[in-house]
Amino acid sequence: MEPTHLFELVIAMFLAIIALHYAAHRLGLPPSVALLTGGALLAFVPGLPAISVDPELVLVIFLPPLLMDGAWAIALARLRRHMIGIASLAVGAVLFTCAVVAVVAHLIFPSLPWAACAALGAIVAPPDAVSARAVLERVKLPRRLQILLEGESLLNDASGLVLFRFAVAAAATGAFSAGEAIGSFFVLALGGAVVGVVVGTAWVKLVRRLGDEYLIIAATVLLGWISYLLGELLHVSGVIATVTTGLIASWHQHTVFSAATRMRGTSFWTVMIFLMEASVFTLIGLSLRDVVERGGGLTTVIATMGLPMLAILVILVVARFAWVFASDLVIRFCAALGVTRAQPLGAGGATVLSWAGVRGVITLALALSLPEGFPARDFILATSFAVILGTVLVQGTTLGRVIAWARLVETETERARLTMSQAEVAMVQAQLGTVQSLAYDAEGKLIHPQLLDRYQRRATVIVDYAERTEHYKPVLHAHFDVVLEAVATGRRELIRLHRAGDIDDETLDELERDLDLEELSAISAKA
């Protein structure tokens, strides 16, 4: 394909992403479903060139920034608190699912080598970070379930990648050592964590010296790729390296970023991640054509592989349910004996956690990276796509209903000690203390009376609001509705003055930025 034609195809894909995302919004569907099905339909448009996805390139381009984004947004305190549960899902559930799928695949095809069965299990076992984010952003979960799913999606890719590489090596050499695989996993994970710490620490020191906000944003955007590539170069886990770097950067960004850097960087990063996530699902759909052609056509694939693929998909879901419910029973038993203070999820929480195991880009990339001549490669490819399609279309579209059925409630241990209003009171009182100390000169004369009065009144109002939040909420919403109308009126007047030639572009930009900040503040206050 000519480079210009490839670029045109990329632009066309981005336009299709916008259209499909808008359609999903209008129809009330998860965007991932619309993007996946839309990409699959586009793959069979007459005249459209076949899309051949390089799995290594897909992992390098998409995985680091998406993992970085997940690590940046995750609540670190809750991640530490639930690390055992996350490890159980990210390592234990992946190993268990891989083993169950391998056994079932061998029962269906007794002639298939165990290494090939294990490779299939490793490919479909880890739920995907991108798919999980796409599903979770549209639903409301208790904090404990949210952190379990987010943490699992960040870390389980490492488990799946290690299992997959050992299975492929075993298929090539005919030898496999479980002890060696486990030892290798821990070495890769520890090495990845060390790389992540080094890269994250270097980033913090660099950002403090750069000074220019655009250089800071550029360095931060490149951070995930640098960590991932360095980890892979040193033959440790690039996934763990990227996640570790993201956690360090997220922790320090509150102190090393200026307000302007944070606002501009967040805007750029959000759009970039949106396009990357959407592109992943669209590329998965577009790759269907190649998978179907490898299998001899859609009719042949369904006729010869339909039932085995369905069996693998069902057992995949059943295995996750079995692991989650068994783990919950262990927690319940240990809590009854007083061994742990952790509370079981209960039937509703365990069901939601089990049903949220959606597969995506990792499954596709690993399947496509199987070497030519690998045993049952076409079946593994077709099954991998069927698993992605089935979990995204079925579980992704019904997770909201499952959550509603479960009637989940936030446990007291997961609630923060202070509400937002109480935190705002603490913040404003600290600000008032600083203003009070600086409002007087060395002789004790008040030199900033208006500033002091403003902060005193603000502190009084916020304390009163925190004590009577429910009473003030309707009044507050009405207040900020008026503020938003005033902002809109001011913006229209600014534009009128600019169009009439009464103010220049610099004045327009400066005053419009003030209005933008006021608008964002009002919207945040209403939320």
Side-chain angles (χ1 to χ4, degrees), residues 233-452:
L233 182 66
L234 297 175
H235 303 291
V236 297
S237 174
V239 171
I240 300 297
T242 306
V243 171
T244 305
T245 299
L247 293 173
I248 292 172
S250 173
W251 180 261
H252 287 281
Q253 58 100 3
H254 304 287
T255 56
V256 299
F257 280 177
S258 66
T261 301
R262 189 175 297 105
M263 287 188 66
R264 288 174 176 154
T266 300
S267 299
F268 173 79
W269 183 260
T270 301
V271 174
M272 187 185 82
I273 293 299
F274 162 74
L275 289 175
M276 297 192 84
E277 284 185 347
S279 298
V280 166
F281 285 108
T282 307
L283 286 172
I284 291 173
L286 289 170
S287 67
L288 174 63
R289 180 172 169 180
D290 184 53
V291 173
V292 169
E293 287 177 352
R294 283 178 177 276
L298 186 60
T299 304
T300 303
V301 169
I302 294 174
T304 59
M305 306 180 191
L307 287 177
M309 289 191 300
L310 181 61
I312 296 296
L313 176 58
V314 171
I315 202 63
L316 191 72
V317 176
V318 171
R320 183 173 175 86
F321 268 86
W323 180 269
V324 171
F325 272 86
S327 300
D328 206 45
L329 283 175
V330 170
I331 293 173
R332 187 181 297 276
F333 180 72
C334 291
L337 294 177
V339 176
T340 178
R341 290 183 295 177
Q343 295 299 312
L345 294 171
T351 300
V352 171
L353 188 62
S354 303
W355 194 244
V358 183
R359 273 64 177 181
V361 62
I362 290 294
T363 294
L364 179 69
L366 293 181
L368 291 173
S369 68
L370 284 170
E372 294 291 339
F374 192 85
R377 185 175 190 271
D378 290 341
F379 171 70
I380 294 175
L381 275 172
T383 303
S384 300
F385 193 89
V387 165
I388 297 170
L389 199 66
T391 55
V392 171
L393 293 183
V394 178
Q395 292 172 262
T397 55
T398 58
L399 182 59
R401 296 192 187 98
V402 173
I403 293 171
W405 164 82
R407 296 183 180 180
L408 305 175
V409 294
E410 191 75 79
T411 59
E412 288 294 334
T413 56
E414 293 300 319
R415 291 194 179 99
R417 190 171 60 85
L418 297 180
T419 64
M420 185 178 294
S421 296
Q422 291 168 333
E424 194 172 15
V425 168
M427 179 186 71
V428 171
Q429 287 179 337
Q431 289 177 316
L432 177 59
T434 298
V435 172
Q436 285 173 333
S437 66
L438 299 176
Y440 299 87
D441 62 14
E443 285 75 32
K445 181 182 177 182
L446 181 61
I447 55 176
H448 299 297
Q450 291 181 334
L451 192 62
L452 179 59

Side-chain angles (χ1 to χ4, degrees), residues 10-29:
V10 171
I11 297 300
M13 183 182 73
F14 285 151
L15 291 174
I17 283 169
I18 294 172
L20 290 168
H21 212 279
Y22 176 75
H25 175 72
R26 298 288 294 178
L27 296 173
L29 294 172

Side-chain angles (χ1 to χ4, degrees), residues 58-361:
V58 167
L59 285 180
V60 170
I61 290 176
F62 292 102
L63 190 59
L66 295 174
L67 287 172
M68 184 79 180
D69 187 60
W72 194 279
I74 204 164
L76 189 55
R78 288 203 294 272
L79 180 69
R80 289 198 300 263
R81 189 186 312 152
H82 295 291
M83 200 63 223
I84 294 177
I86 291 169
S88 169
L89 292 168
V91 180
V94 170
L95 288 170
F96 177 72
T97 304
C98 176
V100 171
V101 169
V103 169
V104 171
H106 195 70
L107 289 174
I108 296 173
F109 300 107
S111 60
L112 194 62
W114 275 106
C117 297
L120 173 60
I123 288 170
V124 299
D128 184 61
V130 183
S131 300
R133 283 169 51 85
V135 170
L136 292 177
E137 67 185 8
R138 293 178 54 86
V139 297
K140 180 67 174 176
L141 285 173
R143 289 184 178 90
R144 183 182 178 188
L145 284 179
Q146 187 86 19
I147 198 67
L148 286 173
L149 288 169
E150 289 178 353
E152 176 196 16
S153 68
L154 282 178
L155 301 176
N156 63 9
D157 293 340
S159 307
L161 284 166
V162 170
L163 285 172
F164 173 76
R165 287 167 181 169
F166 269 91
V168 171
T173 63
F176 176 77
S177 169
E180 184 183 350
I182 294 171
S184 176
F185 172 77
F186 283 108
V187 170
L188 291 173
L190 182 60
V194 171
V195 170
V197 169
V198 171
V199 174
T201 304
W203 173 84
V204 173
K205 294 182 180 298
L206 176 65
V207 166
R208 283 177 172 156
R209 286 166 173 75
L210 283 177
D212 184 281
E213 61 189 56
Y214 294 107
L215 292 178
I216 293 172
I217 293 170
T220 306
V221 168
L222 296 175
L223 188 60
W225 282 298
I226 293 171
S227 188
Y228 182 86
L229 291 172
L230 184 58
E232 293 297 309
L233 182 66
L234 297 175
H235 303 291
V236 297
S237 174
V239 171
I240 300 297
T242 306
V243 171
T244 305
T245 299
L247 293 173
I248 292 172
S250 173
W251 180 261
H252 287 281
Q253 58 100 3
H254 304 287
T255 56
V256 299
F257 280 177
S258 66
T261 301
R262 189 175 297 105
M263 287 188 66
R264 288 174 176 154
T266 300
S267 299
F268 173 79
W269 183 260
T270 301
V271 174
M272 187 185 82
I273 293 299
F274 162 74
L275 289 175
M276 297 192 84
E277 284 185 347
S279 298
V280 166
F281 285 108
T282 307
L283 286 172
I284 291 173
L286 289 170
S287 67
L288 174 63
R289 180 172 169 180
D290 184 53
V291 173
V292 169
E293 287 177 352
R294 283 178 177 276
L298 186 60
T299 304
T300 303
V301 169
I302 294 174
T304 59
M305 306 180 191
L307 287 177
M309 289 191 300
L310 181 61
I312 296 296
L313 176 58
V314 171
I315 202 63
L316 191 72
V317 176
V318 171
R320 183 173 175 86
F321 268 86
W323 180 269
V324 171
F325 272 86
S327 300
D328 206 45
L329 283 175
V330 170
I331 293 173
R332 187 181 297 276
F333 180 72
C334 291
L337 294 177
V339 176
T340 178
R341 290 183 295 177
Q343 295 299 312
L345 294 171
T351 300
V352 171
L353 188 62
S354 303
W355 194 244
V358 183
R359 273 64 177 181
V361 62

